[in-house]
Amino acid sequence: MTGARTAPNGDGPLLDITGLAVDFDTEDGVVHAVKGVDLSLGAGEILALCGESGCGKSVTAMSIPGLLPRGARISGSVKLEGRELTTLPARALRDVRGKEISMVFQEPMTSLNPSFTVGYQLGEVLRRHEGMSRGQARARSVELLDLVGIPAPDRRIKEYPHQLSGGMRQRVMIAIAVACSPKVLIADEPTTALDVTIQAGVLDVFRDLRDRLGTAIILITHDLSVVADIADRAIVMYAGRAVEQAPVTELFARPRHPYTMGLMKALPAAVTAAGVGERPRLAEIPGMVPTPMTDPDECAFQPRCPRAEPDCTASRPILEKAVSESPADGHTVACFHPLEGEGR
Amino acid sequence: MTPVLEIDGLVKHFGAGRGQAVHAVDGASLSIAPGEVLGLVGESGSGKSTVGRCILRLTDPTAGTIRLDDTDITHLSRRALRPLRRDVHIVFQDPYSSLNPRFSVGRIVGEPLRRHRVASGRELADRVAAMLERVGLAASLSRRYPHELSGGQRQRVGLARSLILEPKLVVADEPVSALDVSVQASVLNLMTDLQRDMGFSCLFITHDLSVVKYLADRIAVMYLGQIVETGPAAEIFASPQHPYTQALLSAAPVPDPVEQRERSRVVLGGDIPSPLDPPAGCRFHTRCPVAVERCRTEEPALVSRRDGGGPVACHLVTGADVPDLTAI
Ligand SMILES: Nc1ncnc2c1ncn2[C@@H]1O[C@H](COP(=O)(O)OP(=O)(O)OP(=O)(O)O)[C@@H](O)[C@H]1O
Ligand SMILES: Nc1ncnc2c1ncn2[C@@H]1O[C@H](COP(=O)(O)OP(=O)(O)OP(=O)(O)O)[C@@H](O)[C@H]1O
Ligand SMILES: [Mg+2]
Ligand SMILES: [Mg+2]
């Protein structure tokens, strides 16, 4: 559907999400956090989910393994290898979470328990989900820490989280997440709190997992340079919807949605290539993101869009094949007046 | 021209119990010329914010000197500092926690005028309105409270508060790091406009290299409490000299998949050493891909390069041929 490689069994993508919508009932009314996301992920694929704060990236991610908080109303379909997850009973969903889909979050310190050693926390996962003995779990833990690039893993497993640096803790979280060889790893801003030198190492770990274990990865980030570095394909979200989807080189070479173009042009890097210290004006996107409390039947970006026409308020554009011929397949955009692909 | 700010051998240690100390800043020297923007970069925990806080005397330095416009402020009493506080202001990273939630926007922006008894009544209100307009906020926002504003609006309020006394120096600590790109772009444009108009100098602290590349005239790179390289921004980006600077620049991804995937990277091994017990010799030697024996024992000074470029603290750069790590 959206250009994902097919799963090994040949029938459809590994993960297939259609019409995903999530509402929250709050004191102030209903928050429409996600209003319709279609997403497919092929085996061994790295898919980036990007867009600005509040556009619904984390809520989309959390809804995949059924981790939304109470009070969230989810609709649409989430299928893993053809099996519907949104209707699974809690127990079955817990198994999916342990073994088939796992998650890594932004802040590694809060996700690790400070009072247990790294080895205990990793071993616990292996004993519970894989039924390993203490000795087996220990040996496997050392292997896993080695896999995520932690030096001297046999010494490290005896340490507590506070004895590790931020980058190390994030690697431990990744080791825990891949302990049961999940098919899908969902990483929500996994490097946002890390230094660039450390981030580069963690991104290498993701690449390595994909190459060696064939793990498919959904990487959530607001950082377009991280997308450029690691993703095969990317989805740009705006106000709860996917507005553009394409293979990464195609997306950066020929952004079609005016919002995607706006994001790329607003980056300082868009103007510094010519010379350092000139400080030409950066392109701004005027206006603000719409409130998630309403959902009018129109293009959500239209009030801020330089290409808006009267028809943009008449109905809402859906994610469709980009109009003109493009060399790369599977470029879709939700816009009535997309850019012609003239490049950045 | 006298520098607006001159720091010499700045040291700040925080007691950490059991006779230990966090070596947050350990002999940092830098200066900022009038109207100059100096970008201070370096990894988390390298001491950037502590330098900023020492300049503002929000924390007292352990050793070294800080001169503002040729006045040594290192040991000035709170009272003696007071008039100088008009000249230096800080903009913080977190637009949420740095604004008092119980004060209206107008009150927050006008506070420095009130504290320094520069204006009151009608005049104060007029200057607040003018400043709000200057940072692109409607005067009607002055009755609103911080929680009613967006992140970008809050950061503009922070800027307005910092600039209302027309300071000579602004210390901006990660002022755009919490903002989305589109909002960041407008705040950076605004800072550029205001800086060109008002001519203040700026110490711009950030870990985002694309932002310093855009904004800074000069750059200082910190590693574990020390400045390892400084120089004109264009020069540092074109040919970084210190191995840490090279690693840092090569690790920062660029938003272009074709270019990014062709770049080579200087990979750093080892852990970031503890600031409680920084390594002897060159502090970077435990992670440096080209360290030699001398680096383990002898601390390199920040000295000018033989080719006349900006100063670098590396035996290999100042003592021999420049290593090109990206070629390894
Ligand atoms: N538990 C909740 N209750 C009510 N609203 C929520 C809840 N969780 C998220 N939201 C709202 O849903 C929308 C999407 O939030 P989400 O966390 O997915 O954004 P995001 O794209 O991950 O942003 P960020 O980049 O800041 O992490 C936001 O408007 C948010 O305020
Ligand atoms: N009040 C304090 N008490 C004890 N240690 C402190 C204090 N403030 C800072 N430190 C320590 O001093 C070192 C330098 O901290 P600083 O906040 O200056 O780093 P930074 O370069 O600004 O890092 P970041 O990029 O994460 O903001 C760190 O090891 C930090 O933990
Ligand atoms: Mg999020
Ligand atoms: Mg800091």
Side-chain angles (χ1 to χ4, degrees), chain B residues 14 22 24 43-50 174 275:
Chain B
F14 293 102
V22 177
E43 64 194 77
S44 183
S46 57
K48 306 181 295 295
S49 295
T50 306
E174 308 270 9

Side-chain angles (χ1 to χ4, degrees), chain A residues 52 156 168 204 231 280 282, chain B residues 44 182 189 214 261 265 271:
Chain A
E52 295 181 284
R156 290 292 183 185
M168 290 282 185
D204 282 343
L282 296 168
Chain B
S44 183
S182 65
N189 281 339
Y214 174 72
R261 286 164 205 219
R265 201 171 92 222
D271 282 1

Side-chain angles (χ1 to χ4, degrees), chain B residues 236-254:
Chain B
I236 291 201
F237 276 99
S239 92
Q241 300 292 312
H242 195 283
Y244 174 67
T245 315
Q246 295 185 0
L248 186 68
L249 297 191
S250 75
V254 296

Side-chain angles (χ1 to χ4, degrees), chain A residues 24 26 31 33 51-60 69 188-189 222 292:
Chain A
F24 291 99
T26 70
V31 172
E52 295 181 284
S53 189
C55 69
K57 304 180 295 293
S58 295
V59 171
T60 299
D188 192 350
E189 307 271 4
H222 65 275

Side-chain angles (χ1 to χ4, degrees), chain B residues 36-305:
Chain B
E36 184 177 59
V37 179
L38 177 72
L40 186 60
V41 300
E43 64 194 77
S44 183
S46 57
K48 306 181 295 295
S49 295
T50 306
V51 168
R53 295 176 60 84
C54 284
I55 293 168
L56 290 141
R57 289 280 312 273
L58 294 173
T59 185
D60 286 326
T62 309
T65 55
I66 302 166
R67 302 176 78 81
L68 274 182
D69 254 350
D70 239 2
T71 309
D72 185 340
I73 64 149
T74 328
H75 305 289
L76 284 190
S77 67
R78 301 278 144 198
R79 178 184 291 270
L81 267 177
R82 220 181 141 116
L84 290 167
R85 288 215 192 275
R86 288 181 55 174
D87 289 338
V88 192
H89 271 273
I90 191 162
V91 186
F92 292 101
Q93 163 168 13
D94 185 357
Y96 298 74
S97 59
S98 64
L99 304 179
N100 188 330
R102 287 191 306 271
F103 288 178
S104 68
V105 166
R107 171 96 193 260
I108 290 169
V109 173
E111 190 59 27
L113 294 174
R114 202 171 289 124
R115 187 159 11 98
H116 291 282
R117 301 203 181 84
V118 174
S120 60
R122 185 77 239 155
E123 195 202 338
L124 188 142
D126 287 347
R127 285 183 64 170
V128 168
M131 195 67 226
L132 285 176
E133 193 185 317
R134 210 151 177 193
V135 298
L137 294 174
S140 62
L141 277 181
S142 71
R143 283 185 303 276
R144 301 254 208 109
Y145 288 82
H147 73 268
E148 298 173 290
L149 306 178
S150 71
Q153 288 175 324
R154 286 194 194 103
Q155 206 50 292
R156 284 166 193 261
V157 171
L159 267 175
R161 176 181 57 183
S162 304
L163 296 176
I164 197 157
L165 290 171
E166 312 219 337
K168 293 190 179 126
L169 174 67
V170 173
V171 176
D173 193 351
E174 308 270 9
V176 295
S177 304
L179 305 176
D180 275 322
V181 246
S182 65
V183 185
Q184 171 181 296
S186 64
V187 174
L188 288 176
N189 281 339
L190 174 66
M191 283 193 75
T192 300
D193 292 348
L194 292 170
Q195 201 258 339
R196 281 186 179 147
D197 262 26
M198 301 170 75
F200 54 85
S201 307
C202 181
L203 178 68
F204 196 97
I205 299 171
T206 180
H207 63 270
D208 188 335
L209 291 165
S210 69
V211 171
V212 276
K213 188 173 186 179
Y214 174 72
L215 204 68
D217 300 309
R218 272 194 318 128
I219 291 178
V221 183
M222 274 190 97
Y223 184 80
L224 218 61
Q226 298 181 331
I227 288 168
V228 297
E229 179 164 6
T230 70
E235 224 168 78
I236 291 201
F237 276 99
S239 92
Q241 300 292 312
H242 195 283
Y244 174 67
T245 315
Q246 295 185 0
L248 186 68
L249 297 191
S250 75
V254 296
D256 179 331
V258 179
E259 189 190 336
Q260 174 59 20
R261 286 164 205 219
E262 274 171 6
R263 293 170 78 214
S264 55
R265 201 171 92 222
V266 179
V267 180
L268 294 184
D271 282 1
I272 301 168
S274 163
L276 283 172
D277 183 23
C282 170
R283 295 198 165 182
F284 186 56
H285 87 254
T286 56
R287 297 168 77 201
C288 182
V290 291
V292 296
E293 193 48 42
R294 184 181 178 198
C295 309
R296 283 177 252 283
T297 51
E298 193 185 324
E299 189 166 332
L302 188 66
V303 291
S304 291
R305 276 148 46 193

